Amino acid sequence: MQEQNGYRAMILDQVRIHLESRRLIDLSLTVDPGEIVTVMGPSGSGKSTLLAYLSGFLDPAFRASGRLMLCGQDVTALPAQQRRIGILFQDPLLFPHLSVGGNLAFGLSPSVKGREMRKAAIRQALDAINMAGFEGRDPATLSGGQKARVALARTLLSQPRALLLDEPFSKLDADLRQHMRQHVFGRARAQGLPTLLVTHDEEDAKAAGGPIIRLAVQG
């Protein structure tokens, strides 16, 4: 079991990120399948830079070294689209010109082939978030919580190998935030996704239930 978990883990091996002479990140970390590791720190501590590095969108102005291993593969040099890392942001970022079903179809993995199989995958995804029958709805007619659930479903339909959460609950009201924490964390654990959460909210970190890494602003 340990060998299997190690294979499916997300491993940061001596990852160091600099901006000119300033060191922002110096981190070695293993995130096991279904584990949620929280990264906290003040503005300027490198949280967003770390997520950009992991997802493959690090600005060339930064200098990075070390390795990112995912499911036993070194993905450090791979472009973003080949890493298969899902990301949830503060905003749902649903496409306004597409229906709910169209948004979910956009996230479908290429491995799901054929019109009927794709439609079935979308129906199953909507059932899983208690939004059956919403395929034709305009995203503008959804509540904040519904938009957040659709964004999560779209991310999971891409069959990611890891999940990055960039303050995904920060714009939700308190009751909805608690519900979405349970939903997102529950799905990540159920699918065995190594997950990294960036947040300013101590309650997010507590609900995640995993290790907490606190970054400091480097001089």
Side-chain angles (χ1 to χ4, degrees):
M1 180 62 70
Q2 288 181 347
E3 181 177 335
Q4 181 182 6
N5 283 350
Y7 178 71
R8 297 185 61 203
M10 178 168 61
I11 300 172
L12 285 65
D13 180 20
Q14 297 185 12
V15 171
R16 297 183 177 92
I17 305 175
H18 290 78
L19 180 60
E20 297 178 344
S21 61
R22 181 184 171 206
R23 186 184 66 193
L24 293 174
I25 299 292
D26 187 349
L27 185 61
S28 289
L29 173 68
T30 296
V31 186
D32 288 322
E35 182 179 44
I36 302 162
V37 174
T38 301
V39 177
M40 306 188 76
S43 297
S45 60
K47 301 187 303 299
S48 296
T49 302
L50 176 61
L51 291 187
Y53 167 81
L54 296 176
S55 57
F57 294 107
L58 187 65
D59 190 288
F62 295 89
R63 177 167 45 91
S65 61
R67 295 190 306 164
L68 172 61
M69 305 290 295
L70 193 57
C71 294
Q73 178 187 12
D74 186 345
V75 302
T76 313
L78 291 183
Q81 66 272 17
Q82 294 182 21
R83 297 187 181 199
R84 289 179 54 197
I85 295 178
I87 311 175
L88 279 184
F89 297 98
Q90 293 180 5
D91 297 305
L93 301 180
L94 301 181
F95 298 114
H97 63 289
L98 296 178
S99 65
V100 167
N103 269 276
L104 294 180
F106 185 86
L108 272 171
S109 167
S111 65
V112 183
K113 301 183 184 297
R115 183 176 180 181
E116 291 307 313
M117 287 188 64
R118 292 171 68 84
K119 287 171 66 175
I122 290 170
R123 286 195 300 268
Q124 291 171 6
L126 287 171
D127 286 343
I129 59 174
N130 297 318
M131 290 180 64
F134 275 65
E135 288 94 332
R137 285 282 293 271
D138 185 332
T141 67
L142 303 181
S143 68
Q146 289 171 332
K147 290 177 181 177
R149 281 184 280 159
V150 171
L152 172 64
R154 183 177 63 184
T155 298
L156 295 180
L157 278 172
S158 68
Q159 298 180 5
R161 299 188 293 184
L163 187 61
L164 305 179
L165 305 175
D166 187 4
E167 307 241 19
F169 318 117
S170 62
K171 293 190 175 181
L172 303 176
D173 63 49
D175 289 340
L176 185 54
R177 191 179 306 141
Q178 182 177 4
H179 174 77
M180 283 305 299
R181 284 185 192 121
Q182 294 174 349
H183 184 71
V184 173
F185 297 156
R187 293 293 298 276
R189 293 187 185 105
Q191 297 197 18
L193 293 174
T195 300
L196 198 68
L197 166 69
V198 163
T199 183
H200 287 94
D201 191 332
E202 294 283 352
E203 290 301 314
D204 286 351
K206 181 178 178 181
I212 300 174
I213 296 171
R214 299 185 186 273
L215 300 180
V217 177
Q218 303 290 333

